[in-house]
Amino acid sequence: MTAPSPPQRPLLLLDVDGPLNPYAAKPQRRPAGYRTHRLLTPRWVAAEQRRLAAWDIPESRPRPLRVWLNPDHGPALAALPFDLVWATTWEEEANAYVSPVLGLPELPFIAWSVPRPTPEGGVFWKTPEIVAWAAGRPFAWVDDEIGEPDRAWVRDHHPGPALLHRVDPKLGLLPEDFAVLRRFAEDLAPDGTAIHAIS
Ligand SMILES: [Mg+2]
């Protein structure tokens, strides 16, 4: 007789720009609790170099990317009953530049398809990739670009419970968002099915 496998925790798929870096907040007013980081990540430098070359000023130096991050978010995320996964265009750079600032360990990350998928019906390009990565496992996903077409797509294509939680990029993750995420995880039965209907 084999022992039953331990219950799997749901996944928490994390976007960076929007939920963790409230990039749409007023430029001169850093939101309370956040610290400013000016980063020259390889992806950002490559994008800046393309931009400068397009302007025909390739000899100019790339400007750093300004990122706001809240160091309280790391412990708050780690305390949630989820397995954390980066679901951001930062990909592996989230582990190099964001995790250390937040005090998070190195996390699995979704390596997006190249070229990006182009789903129809207003579905965000990340959505089919998220569902494929989750492979049926219950998940919550926080992102500033989630909309109703994404919720409908996930209902049709993902067999397990899922919470698609939009975060305002002017505000970033708030205590209410953490409460919603915790409630979702705690409402899952030990076998990962939904106890209550989840939208
Ligand atoms: Mg985003």
Side-chain angles (χ1 to χ4, degrees), residues 16-17 21 23 36-41 43-45 48 62-68 90 93 97-98:
V16 170
D17 294 313
N21 170 31
Y23 63 86
T36 304
H37 304 268
R38 297 190 191 280
L39 305 178
L40 281 165
T41 71
R43 280 173 209 279
W44 173 256
V45 169
E48 279 286 279
R63 294 169 311 159
L65 170 65
R66 188 209 62 199
V67 180
W68 286 320
W90 289 60
E93 290 181 351
Y97 293 91
V98 181

Side-chain angles (χ1 to χ4, degrees), residues 18-132:
L20 294 174
N21 170 31
Y23 63 86
K26 288 213 172 75
Q28 305 313 328
R29 264 200 228 156
R30 184 180 55 194
Y34 285 79
R35 293 184 190 157
T36 304
H37 304 268
R38 297 190 191 280
L39 305 178
L40 281 165
T41 71
R43 280 173 209 279
W44 173 256
V45 169
E48 279 286 279
Q49 283 169 341
R50 284 194 297 275
R51 193 174 60 84
L52 294 169
W55 287 354
D56 210 20
I57 45 173
E59 69 281 0
S60 299
R61 284 155 61 100
R63 294 169 311 159
L65 170 65
R66 188 209 62 199
V67 180
W68 286 320
L69 294 169
N70 183 335
D72 294 341
H73 281 168
L77 288 166
L80 290 172
F82 287 91
D83 289 342
L84 306 179
V85 178
W86 292 122
T88 162
T89 54
W90 289 60
E91 297 189 0
E92 77 286 356
E93 290 181 351
N95 279 327
Y97 293 91
V98 181
S99 287
V101 170
L102 298 184
L104 288 171
E106 195 165 303
L107 301 177
F109 66 92
I110 300 182
W112 308 107
S113 298
V114 180
R116 284 181 185 174
T118 51
E120 295 180 346
V123 174
F124 184 24
W125 63 266
K126 281 185 184 176
T127 304
E129 304 255 292
I130 294 266
V131 166

Side-chain angles (χ1 to χ4, degrees), residues 15 17 143-145:
D15 182 27
D17 294 313
D143 199 295
D144 57 311
E145 297 188 63

